[in-house]
Amino acid sequence: MSSTNRVVTPESLLRQEVLDLQAYPVPESAGMVKLDAMENPYLLPQSLREEIARLVADAAINRYPDADAQQLKACIRAVIGLPQNVDILLGNGSDEIIQLLALAVAKPGATLLSVEPSFMMYKMIATFTGLQYVGVPLTENFSLDLPAILAAMQHHRPALVFLSHPNNPTGNLFDAEAIAQIIDAAPGLVVVDEAYYAFANASLIPMLTRHPNLLVMRTFSKLGMAGLRLGFLVGSKAWIAQLEKLRLPYNVNILTQLVAEKLLQHHDLLLRQAEQIKQDRTWLYERLAVIADVQPYVSDANFILFRVIHADKIFKELKKRGVLIKNSSSSHPLLLDCLRVTVGTPQENEQFIRALQESIHQVV
Ligand code: PMP
């Protein structure tokens, strides 16, 4: 065989770090009570769905969308109440923004630092964009280990620090003073990922004007728009202008632009749903707390992490009973025997609690 027609294999061509990766796991969920992915469980009122249907019917899908999504950005600005001197960058989900940030700083040897356990995409994206990744463990109670983070920043000089606030998968907010110290000491950018902002009473957006190396990222996925794929990053005009160069043209499609604008005009409705989810989080926490051998962790997000005995077995038993949650047990030593459940509708939450009690009875 001549060298020109030799079969090229993935192993011979791809970077080793790509070959070593596992694709982001998305389990089969058809027909299950789906409490694994922090989605909003509520549908929209019929009248609003009909309005959306008309918008979609009239959309000029033969044309490219507005490349700058100006109307959508204006809606976001109005709803979030952003300071004037701050700009917005939109992403096809906030995952895309993490990737864009990583690509922007990916000089040889550049480092992305985060805490562990946290959102797995920080590490995965760092790996496939060629960044060094440093994960500083949280303390036993999932708070920031400030001295360790400051020391790691001093040593590794990260170009990017990612903090999920509230943190996925632990659900807690971090100490605001510790975050401020990290921002002050960071040699590069600090991105505070507020994916779960709608379920917490804390945001770093007011700090943007005082801290030029701070960027705040949010997504609308948890607020009822996971299927639309829309995330955004806010920060100083100087940073956003540079990052815009890496945003692929038309990354936010016309249907997403139109529907998200419409939904943001009904932001109060989405916030009421979030409020309901917060109330049901309390219900769920209290039910979990009284089950023997279950230790739930207090959450400021739309999910609850809890520890059980034999997490793997209980996860499987729940699945057998048609309930899909997330098994975090093997993802980090601090999460040994931990499961994560998204807050669903009251009925789904009851189904989950019943299935959990049965599963524990079966296993323990
Ligand atoms: N950040 C955090 C902390 C998350 O948990 C998630 C989704 N699970 C994302 C970002 C990504 O969200 P999306 O791409 O849907 O905007």
Side-chain angles (χ1 to χ4, degrees):
M1 210 192 286
S2 81
S3 64
T4 47
N5 61 7
R6 189 176 298 140
V7 179
V8 178
T9 62
E11 288 73 18
S12 69
L13 192 68
L14 299 183
R15 287 182 283 140
Q16 192 57 45
E17 57 266 34
V18 175
L19 293 170
D20 292 343
L21 276 179
Q22 307 277 333
Y24 184 81
V26 179
E28 178 56 47
S29 60
M32 309 275 283
V33 177
K34 190 172 183 313
L35 301 175
D36 64 325
M38 290 81 127
E39 292 143 327
N40 174 338
Y42 296 107
L43 291 176
L44 297 167
Q46 189 57 29
S47 57
L48 188 49
R49 291 164 72 178
E50 281 163 14
E51 277 186 69
I52 290 171
R54 280 195 294 277
L55 274 179
V56 172
D58 292 342
I61 56 173
N62 55 319
R63 302 288 179 198
Y64 285 108
D66 173 2
D68 291 325
Q70 297 199 35
Q71 285 196 35
L72 176 54
K73 281 198 219 166
C75 285
I76 294 175
R77 197 174 266 287
V79 159
I80 307 294
L82 286 181
Q84 269 313 313
N85 57 349
V86 158
D87 262 352
I88 306 178
L89 177 140
L90 297 182
N92 189 324
S94 50
D95 283 341
E96 190 188 44
I97 298 174
I98 304 170
Q99 175 176 279
L100 184 152
L101 284 161
L103 286 171
V105 301
K107 293 181 187 168
T111 295
L112 183 155
L113 181 146
S114 191
V115 293
E116 289 189 341
S118 191
F119 184 39
M120 63 173 283
M121 290 307 286
Y122 304 146
K123 181 175 183 180
M124 184 161 170
I125 289 174
T127 306
F128 69 62
T129 55
L131 296 180
Q132 307 295 319
Y133 170 79
V134 175
V136 181
L138 295 173
T139 64
E140 287 277 313
N141 66 356
F142 304 137
S143 44
L144 294 174
D145 185 343
L146 186 60
I149 295 172
L150 294 177
M153 288 201 307
Q154 181 79 16
H155 185 69
H156 297 283
R157 311 300 295 161
L160 278 178
V161 173
F162 269 93
L163 293 175
S164 166
H165 186 68
N167 188 39
N168 172 16
T170 56
N172 54 310
L173 285 165
F174 295 128
D175 178 51
E177 179 51 32
I179 297 181
Q181 286 196 42
I182 291 168
I183 296 168
D184 283 340
L189 287 171
V190 177
V191 185
V192 175
D193 179 351
E194 297 186 344
Y196 301 96
Y197 74 96
F199 314 98
N201 294 323
S203 172
L204 271 78
I205 286 181
M207 284 175 67
L208 281 171
T209 26
R210 275 176 289 127
H211 298 275
N213 65 329
L214 169 66
L215 298 169
V216 175
M217 189 174 78
R218 286 187 176 180
T219 175
F220 288 121
S221 293
K222 321 299 172 184
L223 197 63
M225 304 187 215
L228 291 180
R229 310 300 299 126
L230 182 63
F232 66 96
L233 183 74
V234 288
S236 75
K237 288 179 189 289
W239 278 110
I240 299 292
Q242 292 297 331
L243 295 169
E244 269 290 334
K245 299 176 190 171
L246 275 87
R247 189 175 62 82
L248 295 180
Y250 316 118
N251 63 331
V252 179
N253 73 73
I254 190 166
L255 301 182
T256 297
Q257 290 192 28
L258 289 171
V259 179
E261 276 168 35
K262 173 58 67 187
L263 290 184
L264 290 178
Q265 288 159 15
H266 295 269
H267 194 231
D268 53 332
L269 172 85
L270 301 176
L271 289 182
R272 278 202 301 281
Q273 291 181 341
E275 214 38 59
Q276 176 72 46
I277 291 167
K278 281 162 76 176
Q279 281 177 28
D280 296 333
R281 176 179 71 198
T282 306
W283 183 92
L284 198 53
Y285 180 89
E286 286 167 359
R287 292 302 170 289
L288 286 168
V290 294
I291 303 176
D293 300 324
V294 173
Q295 184 199 352
Y297 292 93
V298 174
S299 169
D300 284 288
N302 62 342
F303 58 85
I304 295 178
L305 184 80
F306 61 100
R307 207 179 288 271
V308 291
I309 299 172
H310 306 310
D312 292 349
K313 287 187 187 158
I314 288 183
F315 176 74
K316 283 195 196 117
E317 287 295 324
L318 282 167
K319 241 171 130 176
K320 274 197 221 158
R321 288 166 176 78
V323 177
L324 183 65
I325 63 169
K326 168 97 174 170
N327 185 357
S328 302
S329 183
S330 55
S331 60
H332 191 273
L334 284 172
L335 297 181
L336 185 67
D337 276 328
C338 282
L339 301 171
R340 189 195 68 197
V341 61
T342 305
V343 181
T345 63
Q347 192 198 354
E348 288 172 330
N349 299 336
E350 279 171 27
Q351 276 176 280
F352 158 70
I353 289 289
R354 217 174 307 125
L356 180 65
Q357 282 166 329
E358 287 172 18
S359 302
I360 290 174
H361 192 68
Q362 186 79 24
V363 168
V364 180

